[in-house]
Amino acid sequence: MSFLEKLWEMLKVFFLSSVISVRMTWSEFRRRASTYVVGVLTVVIVVFMVATILLGLAKSPVIFMKLAEEQTGEMDMLFVRNNVRSGSLPFLNFTDADEVTKDILNGTSLEGLVPRWFVTAEAKKKWPKNDKEKNESVGVTILVVDTRKEDAIHLGRQWNHRRIGESECHVKDTVLSLLNIEPDSGEHIILDISIDRFLSDQGITSTELFSIFGGNGNTINASSGSLIDALGLSDSDQLSVNVTAVTDTLNNLLNTSFSVGNGSDVQNVTVGDIRDALPGVLANNTINGSSLTISDLFLGGIRLDLDVADSIGSASGKYPNAVGNAVVIDSTYFVNTILEQLCYGTQRDLLSRVGVDIPDIQTLVDRFPIDDIALTMVALFKGRQHTYTLAKPAMDVSVVKKSDDIMRSLGVEYNATVSFPLATAMQGFYFLRLFLEQIFTAVAITLTVLGCILIYALLMSNVQEKTFEHGMLRALGFRKASLINLITIQALSFTIPGVATAMLLAFIANVVIENIISNFSGFPPDYGSMPTTSIVIPILVGVLVPLLANILPIQRAMGKTLRGALDVSHQSHTDTEVTVKKLQDLGLELWQTLLAIFLVVAGFLVYYMMPYSFIFNNLPLFFFLLLIILMGMLFGLCMISGSLQSFLEYTVLKCILWGKDRILETLILKNLSGHRSRSSKTYMMFTISTASIIFGGVVFTLQATSIHANIEVMVGTDIQVLSTDFDHPVERDNIDPFMTRHRNEYKVIDDWGYATFALNDYDQFKTTGVSNLLFFPSAKQRPTGIDGNLMNVIYDKYFMPVDTQSGIAKEDIISSLYTMETPGSGYVPVSMASGVPPGQHVPDLATKYDDVIEVIVSAGSKSFMSLRSDNAMKLEVSYKETRSASDTLEADYLAVPRSLISKMPGYPFVISSYTFGLGSAPIMMSIPRFKQIVVDNTKPAWLKNDTRKGIDFTQVYYEKMFIRLRPGITKFERDAFVNELKSYLSREYHIVMNTADLKDTTTMAINMLMTCFYAISGIAVALNLFLLWMSFSTNVKQSAWSFAVMRSLGFTVEQLIHAYVYEALCTVLSAFFCGSVIGLIIAITLTVQFNMFVEMPMNFTFPYLLFIIIFLEALFTSIVGSYWPATALREKQIAQVLKSQ
């Protein structure tokens, strides 16, 4: 027979056997539909859950993107003008930038550019004329936006407020509530803008500002005689005239180029002349006899009276949360509104009567280059949703490519500082995203393993029940290959419909997920979009799991002899199998081979893949490897616990068997032993599912507590204000009156304190460090000044001293820096000096040794420098005499630690018992001592030649501010206080951290995850129920004859059913106990290690609700899964059952 003929014969046999197998499978389905329903449901549940989890993971970055936008606003690129220090103006020419970027608008990088302006103001309510005006005011930030441009590029997708008209504004709800203003009801708000503060915030002077108008503080020329004539007055008249409107116009809007009339005595108008002619114009101006310049007039203020349109509840990505109390105005009407409210037209008529010609309102609005002097510009990327949903490396590459295209259009030397607020904020969610990916990957692995066990048990049960049927088929000529084909088709009979149904449900789930994400994020839903991984992987799982689970049943069916298969009286648990294999054929015993494979895989993961992930900074791979090791440990412990099954079942039986049912003990023990091969799968499945769920629940609960504690350590108190730039410190003098008012009048805060920038942040200081008095070893550390009341402000439970001077209590350590001075030792070393330059003096060592600086240092110094709290140490400071000097000078101070601390709230990670962070650790001292060091080592030449504008390097600049709120205040009061506080801070350089908000965010995330675990526990229980029901169905069928015999001996049906229920309870409860212990041990071990690493106290928190739910589900599963199949024999006659066997 040729090869083609053999091939044709094989194909024909395969086809015919397939047809027979399909018919037999259909017949089997009609007879035992319930078994196939269980198989299909198992595949549906596993595939659907894996697909849904992958869909959620693929689309979750959109949620993180929205959360980041709530913090930073929808700003992909933020442009701020450079070189403010050197005297240039902090403005950007948006008109030019918009023009040069038009060429790339049709590309893939830029969606659009928009200009923005931020102005700080004080807000008040406008009271009716008959009402007495109240003095309540609230600090706000005016956000001037071009609404039409921003709508065109969809900046503020979920901003649901209408467009603003002339003299209108939208106001933050906290402002309206504090000022008792109703939105959209015709009520008005007064905004007082301080030009002084605006210029100060921008780091410029009025003269620099006027350069944009082509002037430099020009003197206003007018005819004094024409002024008097126009008013119908004589030179000798004494006037009391209030012409504030004229002053406001001159202050803010008057051009520097004037066309003066034909007056004969044109001269420079002095302050004295104006005061004499128009008393009250500069009533508070004490300048006499000097020329009145535009700069003099400009340094007043602007008052705007605006109609309140809408109340702003949430920023909705329109602007960063750091803005706080926002008032939004449209730039289209901004200039016109100012001119109208300053009565510019009336004043223009007045000035024209004295011969001063100024442009009308429309001409001035057209001439005013507001788009040319934007304070900031915002750029939105095209396809930004796709960009930020990529994995971190791909997202970084996409951001770089898009920003490169934009910067090439603007020019590589474009004079602006560019930041990426949204991409930076997304970095903060990176580890949370990785954490969620690993958790849900673990869930997918667990569900896949459970599904594999269930399908394997289902197929094995079919093979065991059809042993005689398979024997008859073989006796009738069915080949082994055809039998394999039959079993495979039976497996595919529930695999194919299960996968198809699951993927259909996954598509529906995708629609639901898209709707949820669309409602949350504001992006339009994309119902046809399903990631490739969420399609391919679930289908592979649905197909491969049954096929892999089919291997052992096929081997079991093929391993039967024809005689054994036709033995109708056999029972699988009574089979005796003898397998003879030669070691030389295998090379090793099976357990040795498996152990060798395990060790090779473990070694490869640890010694190759782990270093690879670190070298290439592939954190997802690193965490996935950790997950694989963790899951391996969990599954390994579950498998080891299988050796305890019989003992635990016996123990559980002794505990739950009471009363009359005790006579069933022997029967139950026999059933447990006889059904061990099937119940072991149930036991293993329950153990794995319980261990996984308990482990996840305990980890989340313990980590939630740990995360809250770490948030408190990071922030340090209820609210922390952090400055990220030395040139923009926390301004204590400006903020303290505001804080005092909220403590004394509003009763919102208890106390507050400050911490300075480190000495290293001052330009004149090069390095600072400490050492013991042997000068070895030494460590670079950062001297910092702190307030003496800081212990009353911070969370003192995380202030952890390890070594403190005797007699000083923990609560007095910080205040002792101010209240207790360390006396000098009186010791002065003998010294000799030579080569002292003329005019210089030998240093007085007695002063150095008597002047002791009290400090608090990191506990890492204890082991590194052999330092104790009663030992003195050297504080070394090196500094430069001038900025351009290449050499440094050195100053040494004698310091004594009041305490060595392992943790300080507000200074996470840098203060610890470890030495690796010692170089970044602060050396805390009192602020007067800190200033003393600054002043002592700042030379006059430095101050004289310094080029940094506005910085006095002999002053103290504050980096952090800690605020302790009064207990019991409401969330509204807290938010109102924080929002008003932000009006005293810089949006770009100050970060406000609110402990309560951060904890609420993490609590919400943890609760959502716990809800997912409740749902997953329900799915796991459903799979367990299927397996238990199927296992006991097989047990009941195979034990039907024994059941009938026991009934004939006098046992009632209820007693025998109780025996099945007790058997199920023993198996399930023993598995539940083992799974709970395993999950708990692994979770506690991980949490203890984590807390030891971060040096946090161990707080044990157990998810009691989840535990109770799983326990009740286990009881329900064991009772229903055993009682339901056992009732099938209730109605059968004893004789009928005995004859059928």
Side-chain angles (χ1 to χ4, degrees), residues 985-1002:
L985 306 174
S986 167
R987 294 170 300 279
E988 293 84 9
Y989 303 105
H990 291 164
I991 299 173
V992 179
M993 292 179 282
N994 189 332
T995 299
D997 285 350
L998 293 174
K999 290 168 69 174
D1000 289 344
T1001 301
T1002 56

Side-chain angles (χ1 to χ4, degrees), residues 280-300:
V281 172
L282 298 175
N284 298 322
N285 198 328
T286 59
I287 302 175
N288 290 308
S290 60
S291 294
L292 178 66
T293 66
I294 293 181
S295 296
D296 296 327
L297 294 173
F298 197 88
L299 295 180

Side-chain angles (χ1 to χ4, degrees), residues 895-908:
V896 174
R898 280 286 158 82
S899 180
L900 286 81
I901 58 176
S902 63
K903 191 166 292 295
M904 172 73 177
Y907 291 88

Side-chain angles (χ1 to χ4, degrees), residues 560-568:
K560 289 287 185 181
T561 63
L562 185 58
R563 179 183 179 281
L566 295 175
D567 184 6
V568 297

